[in-house]
């Protein structure tokens, strides 16, 4: 497990004690999970692919006048579902499922991950957003917006198209998930879901 520090400038207003929510980022290797997280946290783009060995970040977020802590777990590719991935799902309160718009096969893999989340969490009332990356690579695209819309209806989940390279729609992904976690857990994370303290950064 590697630790990294992310920071983005901005003022954090005084408020009540912020709630902590664990978010797990899952998807096949090479789809851009780390690039998505780094664009959100540092507002930078990872130009070279570096296969992630699970990293965790703690991000302080100010959204709708309320402050929250996001513990973001950036996982390695899940071509083979392992006990490690299951342990992360058990810890997670919200999930970002990532595929590449340039590789249709990576979208198909998410259905298995989604079903595993429902199985492990004991139901479908789980905050999840689905993210298609690399939307700037229009000439290499294999997944159409129409296909995503149809799947969004079938899965009853929100879908986003993003580009970590261009910074398109990245913040919307995490803001939407945070809103869903707050709604799902209005009194804060359930007992027994406490997480370890990680390096902190601030996001507005």
């Amino acid at each position: 497990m590697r630790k990294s520090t992310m920071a983005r400038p901005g003022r954090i207003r005084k408020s009540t004690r912020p709630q902590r929510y664990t978010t797990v980022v899952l998807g096949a290797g090479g789809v851009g999970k780390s690039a998505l997280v780094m664009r959100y946290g540092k507002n930078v783009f990872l130009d070279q692919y570096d296969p992630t060995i699970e990293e965790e970040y703690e991000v302080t977020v100010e959204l709708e006048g309320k402050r929250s802590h996001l513990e973001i777990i950036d996982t390695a590719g899940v071509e083979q579902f392992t006990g490690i991935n299951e342990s992360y799902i058990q810890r997670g309160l919200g999930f970002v499922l990532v595929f590449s718009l340039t590789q249709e096969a990576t979208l198909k893999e998410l259905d298995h991950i989604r079903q595993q989340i429902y199985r492990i969490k004991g139901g479908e009332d789980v905050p999840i957003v689905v993210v298609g990356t690399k939307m700037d690579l229009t000439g290499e695209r294999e997944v159409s917006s129409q296909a995503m819309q149809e799947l969004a209806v079938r899965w009853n989940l929100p879908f986003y198209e993003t580009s970590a390279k261009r910074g398109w729609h990245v913040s919307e992904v995490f803001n939407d998930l945070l809103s869903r976690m707050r709604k799902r857990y209005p009194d804060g994370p359930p007992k027994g879901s406490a997480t370890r303290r990680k390096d902190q950064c601030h996001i507005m």
Side-chain angles (χ1 to χ4, degrees):
M1 181 73 67
R2 297 182 294 183
K3 297 181 181 179
S4 299
T5 301
M6 300 188 294
R8 180 182 286 185
R11 293 185 298 110
I12 298 297
R13 297 193 299 272
K14 292 182 178 180
S15 62
T16 58
R17 186 175 180 178
Q19 301 289 353
R20 187 184 303 272
Y21 300 93
T22 300
T23 299
V24 183
V25 182
L26 295 163
V31 296
K33 298 186 298 296
S34 297
L36 190 75
V37 173
M38 293 301 291
R39 173 60 80 179
Y40 177 62
K42 267 190 161 183
N43 199 24
V44 298
F45 175 64
L46 297 178
D47 197 29
Q48 296 183 344
Y49 174 55
D50 179 19
T52 299
I53 303 174
E54 293 82 22
E55 296 194 40
E56 298 185 27
Y57 309 91
E58 186 172 294
V59 184
T60 301
V61 183
E62 181 92 1
L63 179 65
E64 299 174 347
K66 184 178 179 181
R67 186 169 59 175
S68 299
H69 290 320
L70 284 184
E71 182 186 33
I72 302 176
I73 302 176
D74 178 18
T75 67
V78 291
E79 289 83 356
Q80 293 183 338
F81 216 82
T82 67
I84 294 176
N85 295 320
E86 290 202 14
S87 69
Y88 286 144
I89 290 176
Q90 290 171 350
R91 288 174 57 191
L93 299 179
F95 301 88
V96 180
L97 305 188
V98 185
F99 70 98
S100 172
L101 292 166
T102 66
Q103 295 175 285
E104 186 178 7
T106 63
L107 174 57
K108 294 179 179 178
E109 290 182 30
L110 292 188
D111 192 25
H112 174 62
I113 299 173
R114 179 182 65 95
Q115 292 181 38
Q116 291 289 339
I117 291 172
Y118 291 153
R119 178 184 64 80
I120 293 169
K121 303 302 285 187
E124 297 187 3
D125 189 16
V126 183
I128 298 175
V129 296
V130 185
V131 182
T133 60
K134 307 180 184 181
M135 69 178 294
D136 55 296
L137 301 179
T138 55
E140 302 175 32
R141 183 163 181 152
E142 294 183 0
V143 181
S144 68
S145 295
Q146 181 178 351
M148 291 174 60
Q149 291 171 1
E150 292 173 354
L151 204 54
V153 173
R154 191 185 315 163
W155 288 0
N156 192 29
L157 293 175
F159 273 63
Y160 285 88
E161 296 184 15
T162 66
S163 169
K165 184 174 183 178
R166 304 296 184 185
W168 295 340
H169 312 303
V170 174
S171 293
E172 289 94 321
V173 169
F174 291 93
N175 289 344
D176 186 357
L177 184 62
L178 177 56
S179 295
R180 291 171 183 275
M181 288 189 290
R182 285 175 174 176
K183 184 177 180 180
R184 175 64 179 83
Y185 306 103
D187 298 322
K191 293 181 179 180
S193 64
T195 56
R196 292 168 291 177
R197 187 176 182 83
K198 296 296 173 183
D199 298 324
Q200 294 187 7
C201 59
H202 300 283
I203 289 182
M204 295 293 288

